[in-house]
Amino acid sequence: MRFLGHSTVRMEVAGHVVLTDPVLTPRVGPLHRVVAPLTPDAWAGVDLVLISHLHGDHLHLPSLRLLPRDVRVVVPRGAGTWLRHKGIGNVDELAVGERVTYGDLTVTATTARHSGHRWGPRLTYGPHAPAVGHLLETSGVRIYVAGDTDLFDGMTDLAPVDVALLPVWGWGPTLGPGHLDPARAAEAVRRIRPRVAVPVHWGTLALPGVARSRRMRRLLVDPPHEFARAVGAMSDVIIASPGTEVG
């Protein structure tokens, strides 16, 4: 497993190479990657992509177009037609509770408490599909990929899992609705009881001017460590810097 940055994780599971919410380029709209750029080996051989929601820093079309045309892309139900119109054709749609099987790997969409609108929570036009997380299961191993979410009713129903990829911040000096900060991410650990928790959604993207501020420099580094302290002995926390192997 390799944390590529933001919410992008590369993992090899049940014979598949999986990418979560791939953001692979040096820029995402106005946001710049503030750590070392990725090289093509980061996405070589990928055959399955999990998209949690439609926001541009999670469903990033330029990054998807770097992948092979036959890569399988799993999106929230309601996003498939829009994505196909953008040239991404090999799409499976999942609503919460629905699942799809790829060989020995089963992927189930889970609840996520987060805006599902492409352009953010305040707009009503354009693409929309409810945000989801994903539960990956194979041979008794359970991996929870939260995507973007706040705490939600029923989170305890996911327990226990072997590995949880949990967001602990974002890309700006403040967090909007539908996100976990380090303390709330630690509460998610208490609810889902992962054997290993991996903090994601931190330390990767920022607005160029803001990235130089004292507060933002701290927020690019501190959230996963605050999360680990808050988790304490509940789970093993593995902190991987963007672009590096987990564990």
Side-chain angles (χ1 to χ4, degrees):
M1 185 179 290
R2 183 178 173 192
F3 175 43
L4 301 182
H6 205 52
S7 282
T8 309
V9 175
R10 176 191 172 107
M11 65 183 90
E12 298 182 19
V13 55
H16 295 279
V17 180
V18 182
L19 275 188
T20 65
D21 288 346
V23 170
L24 308 172
T25 59
R27 294 183 59 179
V28 181
L31 301 174
H32 288 228
R33 188 177 176 92
V34 296
V35 291
L38 296 172
T39 54
D41 66 288
W43 58 88
V46 169
D47 62 329
L48 181 62
V49 171
L50 305 180
I51 300 292
S52 63
H53 62 292
L54 273 60
H55 292 171
D57 60 328
H58 291 258
L59 197 171
H60 185 235
L61 291 170
S63 292
L64 288 178
R65 288 169 179 151
L66 292 173
L67 304 175
R69 290 185 62 86
D70 63 347
V71 70
R72 203 81 194 173
V73 182
V74 181
V75 300
R77 183 160 297 283
T81 298
W82 177 80
L83 197 56
R84 293 183 189 99
H85 286 163
K86 296 296 183 179
I88 310 299
N90 201 3
V91 177
D92 291 326
E93 298 181 71
L94 292 179
V96 171
E98 294 181 338
R99 63 186 60 190
V100 63
T101 299
Y102 305 96
D104 294 331
L105 177 65
T106 298
V107 178
T108 303
T110 65
T111 297
R113 186 179 170 193
H114 192 75
S115 167
H117 196 284
R118 175 69 172 173
W119 312 120
R122 296 178 180 85
L123 299 181
T124 57
Y125 68 91
H128 179 275
V132 299
H134 296 97
L135 183 66
L136 284 63
E137 297 175 279
T138 180
S139 302
V141 175
R142 292 161 52 86
I143 302 170
Y144 172 51
V145 183
D148 264 0
T149 188
D150 201 345
L151 300 170
F152 56 85
D153 293 339
M155 187 174 268
T156 55
D157 295 339
L158 297 169
V161 299
D162 295 284
V163 179
L165 308 180
L166 293 171
V168 298
W169 197 253
W171 50 259
T174 60
L175 280 177
H179 292 91
L180 295 173
D181 62 14
R184 294 176 74 77
E187 170 60 18
V189 167
R190 188 190 68 78
R191 296 185 185 190
I192 62 179
R193 296 187 283 121
R195 182 172 56 83
V196 175
V198 180
V200 300
H201 209 257
W202 66 274
T204 309
L205 300 174
L207 294 167
V210 176
R212 293 190 292 270
S213 70
R214 179 180 299 179
R215 174 174 171 78
M216 196 65 221
R217 290 199 307 270
R218 179 181 65 78
L219 287 171
L220 287 168
V221 175
D222 288 355
H225 301 282
E226 295 174 2
F227 167 69
R229 288 192 293 270
V231 169
M234 288 190 292
S235 295
D236 291 333
V237 176
I238 299 179
I239 299 173
S241 299
T244 67
E245 297 290 332
V246 176

